[in-house]
C-alpha cells in the first residue's frame, strides 16, 4: 500500500489515497485568515492519543513544527476556517484515519 493524504484548504476536505485510488473523504476545519494552514508536502511524524486541550481524541504531528491533524472539542467548527493553522477533524474521523495510516505517511496540503 502507498497511502498518502491530500488536504484541500479551499474545499475543506481531507482525502485518503492508496496510490491513485481514493479510499475516503473527510470534512475538516483549517486555519483562519490570520493563521492559515501551511501549504506544502509534509509527513506524519508522531501520534498522541488523548492529547488534552482543544486537540480532541488524537493528535498526529506533521513534519512542519507546531502543526498537525487532530480531533476537536468543538465539532461545530468542522467545515470552517477557524483554526490556528492545524487541520481539525471530527474525533471519530481522526481516530479512524490514524488507525489506517502509519507515521511517515505523506501529507500534501494545497489551496
Amino acid at each position: 500500500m502507498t497511502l498518502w493524504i491530500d488536504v484541500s484548504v479551499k474545499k475543506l476536505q481531507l482525502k485518503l489515497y492508496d496510490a491513485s485510488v481514493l479510499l475516503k473523504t473527510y470534512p475538516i476545519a483549517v486555519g483562519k485568515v490570520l493563521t492559515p494552514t501551511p501549504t506544502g508536502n509534509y509527513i506524519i511524524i508522531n501520534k498522541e492519543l488523548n492529547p488534552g486541550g482543544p486537540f480532541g481524541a488524537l493528535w498526529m504531528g506533521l513534519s512542519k513544527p507546531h502543526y498537525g491533524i487532530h480531533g476537536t472539542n468543538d465539532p461545530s467548527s468542522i467545515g470552517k476556517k477557524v483554526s490556528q493553522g492545524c487541520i481539525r477533524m471530527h474525533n471519530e474521523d481522526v481516530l479512524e484515519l490514524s488507525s489506517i495510516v502509519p507515521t511517515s505517511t505523506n501529507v500534501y496540503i494545497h489551496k
Side-chain angles (χ1 to χ4, degrees), residues 47-70:
K47 298 179 185 184
E48 184 178 347
L49 196 58
N50 299 313
F55 304 116
L58 184 113
W59 164 271
M60 291 190 285
L62 297 177
S63 53
K64 172 111 176 142
H66 312 294
Y67 291 92
I69 300 169
H70 62 80

Side-chain angles (χ1 to χ4, degrees), residues 5-24:
I5 294 170
D6 175 276
V7 175
S8 172
V9 172
K10 183 178 178 181
K11 292 181 181 176
L12 300 167
Q13 287 183 335
L14 181 152
K15 294 182 177 182
L16 174 62
Y17 286 90
D18 182 358
S20 61
V21 178
L22 176 63
L23 300 178
K24 190 91 184 206

Side-chain angles (χ1 to χ4, degrees), residues 85-96:
C86 287
I87 297 152
R88 290 185 195 171
M89 301 178 73
H90 288 292
N91 286 322
E92 60 272 17
D93 290 348
V94 78
L95 289 169
E96 178 181 83

Side-chain angles (χ1 to χ4, degrees), residues 29-62:
V30 296
K32 53 191 167 194
V33 172
L34 295 177
T35 55
T37 298
T39 57
N41 289 298
Y42 307 102
I43 61 168
I44 295 171
I45 59 168
N46 60 26
K47 298 179 185 184
E48 184 178 347
L49 196 58
N50 299 313
F55 304 116
L58 184 113
W59 164 271
M60 291 190 285
L62 297 177

